[in-house]
Amino acid sequence: MFSLFSAYPTFMVFLAVVLAMVLTMVLMPAWIRFLKSSHIGQQVRADGPQSHLVKQGTPTMGGVIMLVAVIAFTLLASVGAPTVELWLLLGATLATGILGFIDDASKVAHERSLGLTPKAKLVGQFLIAGIFVLCAVNLLDVAPTVEIPFICTIDLGVLTTVIPLGGETDSAGISIPWLYLAYCLILLVGLCNAVNLTDGLDGLAAGTVMVVMLVMAAIAFRTGQLEPALFAGALAGACIGFLWFNSFPADIFMGDTGSLALGMALGCLAVLTKVEFIVIIIGGLFVAEALSVMIQVFYYKKTKKRIFLMAPLHHHFEKKGWSETKVVVRFWIVSGMLAACGFVLQFASSLAVA
């Protein structure tokens, strides 16, 4: 398949979106029936909006089918020509999805809204992110730099340790750029949890991630990275297919299986396409959701008062009287605007350099 269509990269990316969407829509009904028959449902936060209590028991772990669709297409497209880029992207995304699956399964088994401890999830996320970044630097020669458009390119490889293989100082070794590694760990784990926090309303996370992944596919395609473009396109397509079942009122939730994996995938794509700074703008909505929680917690500990009616940010607007669908659609619009701004900034900066 890859060899047949490699001469038509635009078509390949379009095909990634369509086939991942179709595969998700085809497989999801059977998965929903299985979850219902197995009594595997969402555990709603007791301290959340009262209107969400009706969602108790709604099937979760929809992210399983999304990952199956993405993995199936990308492996099919790369038959005969697998790349290290694809394996790294798939490996990090799947590993984070498994971590989320364990968390979801724990919630269901113990019938509570909290699964794995925050510490356990963070350790797993940092481990996955660290392995990905080190492999990207050493296997794909990703430069340990971060570009701030129209301002400067920051070299974060100034503090680099090379661990020789075989114990010989003059042999090839594993390069560890400590500053770049630290920056990417914060970025990847931050995006992973930011997308997870955004997944609180029907269709919110899937819709916003869809928009962001389409932009990431465009960035990867423009820089000549077909494999990351295919991967991002497949993720966008899976989100579109999932939205058919996740739109209000949701028939299924993606769970941490989906949200954590999508967040990690976004961070990994940013590293490979060298938009480690611009992705903060492209995924600005996710950043705002995460910051709302951090600000709320910090301010409450200091003053015993709240800045937001409820965090994350989407719950604040619900408390202000916005309907769930209004919050979701408006957040989609804001996410689209931020993603477009990020793409334009990246495009313009590349033209300026050229």
Side-chain angles (χ1 to χ4, degrees):
M1 185 176 186
F2 185 89
S3 59
L4 181 63
F5 295 114
S6 59
Y8 306 98
T10 305
F11 176 72
M12 282 290 290
V13 177
F14 174 78
L15 193 66
V17 177
V18 173
L19 290 187
M21 175 189 70
V22 171
L23 188 56
T24 301
M25 295 183 70
V26 168
L27 296 178
M28 196 65 72
W31 181 242
I32 292 175
R33 289 193 296 271
F34 168 76
L35 293 173
K36 285 183 175 179
S37 64
S38 302
H39 304 289
I40 298 176
Q42 178 72 25
Q43 302 299 313
V44 178
R45 286 172 51 187
D47 59 343
Q50 294 300 303
S51 59
H52 288 202
L53 294 178
V54 297
K55 301 181 182 185
Q56 180 76 19
T58 300
T60 186
M61 300 188 202
V64 170
I65 299 302
M66 299 172 70
L67 291 177
V68 167
V70 171
I71 293 170
F73 173 79
T74 49
L75 289 181
L76 179 63
S78 63
V79 168
T83 64
V84 176
E85 285 179 315
L86 265 181
W87 288 121
L88 284 181
L89 287 170
L90 286 173
T93 303
L94 180 59
T96 313
I98 292 173
L99 180 67
F101 181 84
I102 295 172
D103 187 44
D104 287 333
S106 178
K107 294 175 185 177
V108 172
H110 296 94
E111 297 184 349
R112 60 184 184 183
S113 61
L114 297 176
L116 294 175
T117 64
K119 182 179 179 180
K121 284 194 287 188
L122 283 175
V123 169
Q125 292 164 13
F126 274 110
L127 181 62
I128 294 168
I131 292 174
F132 174 85
V133 174
L134 290 178
C135 287
V137 169
N138 288 277
L139 299 180
L140 299 176
D141 295 323
V142 170
T145 59
V146 175
E147 180 185 351
I148 302 177
F150 300 108
I151 299 178
C152 65
T153 298
I154 303 175
D155 183 6
L156 296 180
V158 292
L159 295 178
T160 298
T161 300
V162 177
I163 301 177
L165 297 177
E168 299 178 7
T169 57
D170 59 345
S171 64
I174 299 175
S175 178
I176 306 178
W178 293 105
L179 293 179
Y180 183 71
L181 177 62
Y183 176 86
C184 288
L185 285 177
I186 295 172
L187 178 68
L188 269 62
V189 174
L191 287 172
C192 186
N193 288 284
V195 174
N196 180 245
L197 289 171
T198 305
D199 186 30
L201 300 179
D202 297 353
L204 180 56
T208 50
V209 171
M210 171 198 69
V211 172
V212 168
M213 285 301 172
L214 288 174
V215 169
M216 293 302 296
I219 290 175
F221 182 81
R222 188 178 181 280
T223 55
Q225 295 175 281
L226 179 58
E227 290 80 7
L230 290 174
F231 180 74
L235 285 169
C239 286
I240 296 172
F242 180 70
L243 270 174
W244 183 266
F245 306 95
N246 186 237
S247 57
F248 182 85
D251 298 316
I252 188 171
F253 302 134
M254 68 170 66
D256 286 3
T257 306
S259 60
L260 291 179
L262 290 173
M264 184 63 74
L266 175 59
C268 292
L269 282 165
V271 171
L272 294 187
T273 55
K274 297 305 296 175
V275 291
E276 300 98 330
F277 179 80
I278 297 179
V279 74
I280 298 173
I281 300 174
I282 295 173
L285 181 71
F286 308 133
V287 176
E289 291 271 42
L291 285 176
S292 69
V293 174
M294 296 169 64
I295 292 170
Q296 184 88 319
V297 171
F298 176 80
Y299 190 75
Y300 184 79
K301 286 183 176 180
K302 292 294 183 180
T303 67
K304 299 303 178 183
K305 297 180 181 179
R306 293 178 173 84
I307 293 180
F308 303 102
L309 297 178
M310 188 175 182
L313 193 58
H314 53 263
H315 288 323
H316 170 77
F317 289 105
E318 276 194 294
K319 290 286 189 178
K320 286 179 68 70
W322 292 16
S323 67
E324 182 169 347
T325 52
K326 177 170 287 190
V327 175
V328 169
V329 172
R330 287 183 173 177
F331 273 42
W332 285 354
I333 294 171
V334 171
S335 181
M337 293 171 62
L338 289 169
C341 287
F343 178 76
V344 170
L345 188 60
Q346 193 275 340
F347 183 81
S349 64
S350 64
L351 288 179
V353 172

